[in-house]
Amino acid sequence: MTTLSAIIVDAASFAAWLFLVAVGLTLVFGVLRLLNIAHGAFYSVGAYAGVFAIGASASLGWGIALQLVAAIVVACLMGALIGLLIERSVLKRLYGYPEALVLIATYALFLILDDLTGMVSAGQSLYASQPRDGLGQITIGGLQYPVYDVGLIGISLLLALAVWYTLERTRIGRCVTAVVFDSEISAAMGIHVGRIKTGTFIVGAMLGCLAGALTAPKIAVSPGMGVEVIVIAFAVVVVGGLGSIAGALLGAIIIGLARSVTAHLAPELEIFAVYFVMAGVLAFRPYGLLAPAEARRI
Amino acid sequence: MSGRRIDWTIVAMLAIALIVTLSASFIPNWIRFLGQLAASTALASVGVMILLRAGLLSFGQSLFYFIGGYIVALLGKYGGVTDAFAVVVAAAAGAGLAAVALGFLLATYRGIFFSMLTLAVSMVMFGVATKVRLFGGSDGLNIGLMSYFGHRPRGVDAQWTGFVFCIWTWTGFGIATHVFLRSRFGRLIGAVADNEIRVEYLGFSVRRIVWVAYGIAGILAGAGGALAGLSARHVDPQFAYWTTAGDFIFVVLLSGQASVLSPAFGAFLLEILRSYASAWFPDQWQSVFGAMMLAIVLFLPAGLDHLIVLSGLALRKRVTRRSLVQGASS
């Protein structure tokens, strides 16, 4: 019984983290039709921004809530700035290029950003565990969990709701959905496609940085941590279907569950769990669970 | 069609290998070592180039580079095999087998799916390699001195022999790959990138073409990894890391895809850049590397050798126009 509740809570907490890192990636893919490897670097930029914001506000004597707000605001501002710069200076020139070249360009951006974050910290690991320690523990099913980790599940769900509301219930969301389906027709209908693309990339970068900032209190923030993030985020997105927000949520839940079950029942298989799920899903649904099938072009 | 004409790529590769061999004694030690590393990187990069001709960007060639290097190390440590020819053949065969097995699963995927799945496989291997004790953990394994058909050179001779061996291995694999790429099957690889469905209507299996291309890329990366291992006389899990695969992509991006010769120049340039960059700005290598990559993608997406192709075309065009004008006036 304890194992079962532990599996469920761990799965929910891991799924929440997976959704946080994957939602920006899938949004950007849906609108810009490019897989942004630099998303992993946005994550580490956000984590560093979070660490510095929490450290600075803690030394000012601010409370835990204010520390977290400071981390989120600083990370989102960084994300918006980097996203704007990258989209305007690099990606804008690459729309319509072969997929492989765009992938290489985002890989190059990843390397540059990753190196810059490494330089800021001089290669050291940084910690910002004040908010997580300060919030204490909560008992679920006889086991103790940090309140912070459980709270992240709620934040993740709120974020999913916010993204869903924006895409489905607002005018801008309608325009974004239209661009996802067909950017040429949307342009013909009077939607400023370039502006939608820039905006989406900025939001995607902000989401990546936000994920990093929210994770920072849980981990040792160190250079090179973005690599695994991009691979795992891609696995989540691919399981659900590239470009689909609901798919990212579904993928996060499935992979979170798989990882948590293997971690408790067969720990030596834990690092493979993510890839087993991805390979299994791709073998039967090559475009993911929630992506519509596409016609072949001749 | 053109079977009797002299193939200048083969002639050029043989000439380079001969000239380098004859002048090897006069080349400074550190350049010889760079040459060895460049030869191994170049072989693996040719594999990336073949896949890129099919429109597939592999982020996981480091996996086969790793397998090649570790086969050499494990054969020496547990099997007592130190013959350079034997270990390179074993490494290429082992990596090729692994590539054929993986290719069975991966050959159905294209585009970002192919890239990210190859990346995922190499990341798993990296994770495993840092933990397994048989592979020496994150410290890796050392490799002893090699023998060549029973002859075991020592000291300065060992370095000279190793260098010449690397150059000729590169030449051998390079010529074999060139002959393959020149064949009908080799030309089909490029057709896959142009239009898969037309290739299928012509009666060829696209899946099999991609599978074979992936297998050959694996063989080349395995041979490259073996050369890197016996040059540095050490292998570690970093061989499997995705930045190693990134190096190969950079080489192909820098040098272009015109011929099997192109990656050799790219690889040599990369090794020189790396050794100078680590002296001038040791901690910013990744940024420099990334910035160069970005600059090439933005301003010269077809690679440096495209400049040669373009100038060749311009020359030829000028000649034909002149001859046409002369033909009209006479």
Side-chain angles (χ1 to χ4, degrees), chain B residues 210-268:
Chain B
V210 172
W211 196 2
V212 170
Y214 192 67
I216 287 174
I219 292 175
L220 290 168
L227 289 190
L230 54 88
S231 303
R233 298 184 51 203
H234 179 78
V235 289
D236 59 42
Q238 201 67 31
F239 272 50
Y241 203 57
W242 77 322
T243 46
T244 310
D247 286 352
F248 306 147
I249 293 172
F250 177 78
V251 166
V252 176
L253 188 68
L254 183 69
S255 50
Q257 307 164 31
S259 124
V260 284
L261 264 171
S262 319
F265 297 109
F268 197 67

Side-chain angles (χ1 to χ4, degrees), chain A residues 72-233:
Chain A
I72 290 171
V73 168
V74 171
C76 284
L77 285 178
M78 284 293 286
L81 183 68
I82 296 175
L84 181 69
L85 279 178
I86 288 180
E87 209 275 343
R88 290 278 98 181
S89 63
V90 179
L91 296 181
K92 217 182 98 190
R93 300 158 187 266
L94 294 179
Y95 296 139
Y97 266 49
E99 220 170 24
L101 275 181
V102 181
L103 209 55
I104 294 176
T106 61
Y107 170 67
L109 287 170
F110 175 93
L111 289 179
I112 297 171
L113 284 175
D114 194 52
D115 216 30
L116 292 180
T117 54
M119 261 188 264
V120 169
S121 66
Q124 302 290 314
S125 292
L126 300 176
Y127 299 89
S129 54
Q130 296 96 323
R132 191 164 182 245
D133 297 341
L135 282 174
Q137 310 273 319
I138 184 175
T139 309
I140 303 175
L143 289 171
Q144 290 207 316
Y145 300 94
V147 173
Y148 186 82
D149 294 14
V150 180
L152 274 190
I153 302 173
I155 289 186
S156 204
L157 286 175
L158 272 182
L159 190 68
L161 200 67
V163 173
W164 172 82
Y165 183 83
T166 317
L167 285 180
E168 299 288 326
R169 292 284 180 272
T170 63
R171 209 184 109 74
I172 292 179
R174 290 278 164 84
C175 294
V176 171
T177 317
V179 174
V180 169
F181 273 98
D182 196 319
S183 59
E184 276 180 33
I185 299 286
S186 328
M189 303 298 267
I191 298 174
H192 198 312
V193 173
R195 215 172 282 164
I196 294 276
K197 283 184 173 176
T198 313
T200 309
F201 192 77
I202 291 175
V203 171
M206 283 166 72
L207 287 170
C209 287
L210 180 70
L214 288 174
T215 316
K218 293 170 70 173
I219 54 167
V221 177
S222 49
M225 65 183 193
V227 186
E228 273 169 69
V229 170
I230 181 67
V231 180
I232 289 186

Side-chain angles (χ1 to χ4, degrees), chain B residues 9-234:
Chain B
T9 310
I10 295 178
V11 173
M13 288 185 87
L14 286 173
I16 290 173
L18 261 178
I19 291 169
V20 168
T21 309
L22 291 177
S23 54
S25 314
F26 309 105
I27 300 175
N29 247 336
W30 65 277
I31 292 190
R32 281 201 294 215
F33 186 65
L34 284 188
Q36 276 176 284
L37 291 183
S40 46
T41 308
L43 274 184
S45 306
V46 172
V48 173
M49 183 186 89
I50 294 175
L51 287 172
L52 209 53
R53 280 191 180 179
L56 299 166
L57 178 67
S58 169
F59 263 108
Q61 287 315 103
S62 51
L63 171 72
F64 305 113
Y65 201 64
F66 168 89
I67 292 177
Y70 270 65
I71 282 179
V72 173
L74 292 173
L75 272 180
K77 196 175 173 200
Y78 297 104
V81 183
T82 56
D83 188 81
F85 297 94
V87 291
V88 168
V89 169
L97 276 179
V100 168
L102 258 179
F104 177 73
L105 296 170
L106 292 178
T108 16
Y109 299 105
R110 304 285 179 275
I112 50 175
F113 287 88
F114 182 84
S115 305
M116 296 307 284
L117 287 174
T118 51
L119 172 61
V121 176
S122 70
M123 288 304 287
V124 169
M125 193 71 226
F126 175 75
V128 170
T130 48
K131 293 197 179 76
V132 176
R133 205 191 296 153
L134 175 72
F135 294 160
S138 51
D139 292 337
L141 297 167
N142 285 325
I143 294 173
L145 275 179
M146 288 291 137
S147 57
Y148 303 86
F149 289 136
H151 172 64
R152 186 186 290 269
R154 295 192 176 280
V156 188
D157 275 352
Q159 223 268 326
W160 185 90
T161 327
F163 173 67
V164 172
F165 177 75
C166 281
I167 294 301
W168 282 98
T169 311
W170 169 74
T171 314
F173 277 98
I175 289 176
T177 313
H178 178 71
V179 170
F180 164 75
L181 287 178
R182 217 181 41 179
S183 71
R184 188 178 66 179
F185 198 90
R187 294 195 190 272
L188 278 170
I189 292 176
V192 170
D194 291 339
N195 194 324
E196 277 190 29
I197 292 167
R198 289 190 191 166
V199 174
E200 296 234 313
Y201 278 135
L202 287 175
F204 301 98
S205 158
V206 170
R207 188 170 182 277
R208 193 178 301 157
I209 296 169
V210 172
W211 196 2
V212 170
Y214 192 67
I216 287 174
I219 292 175
L220 290 168
L227 289 190
L230 54 88
S231 303
R233 298 184 51 203
H234 179 78

Side-chain angles (χ1 to χ4, degrees), chain B residues 272-313:
Chain B
I272 289 176
L273 277 175
R274 207 204 312 259
S275 57
Y276 275 105
S278 61
W280 288 341
F281 17 76
D283 295 327
Q284 288 86 24
W285 164 237
Q286 265 197 20
S287 320
V288 176
F289 187 73
M292 282 192 295
M293 236 166 158
L294 210 52
I296 299 171
V297 171
L298 287 176
F299 303 115
L300 194 67
L304 288 180
D305 72 355
H306 194 61
L307 291 181
I308 301 173
V309 175
L310 279 182
S311 55
L313 277 181

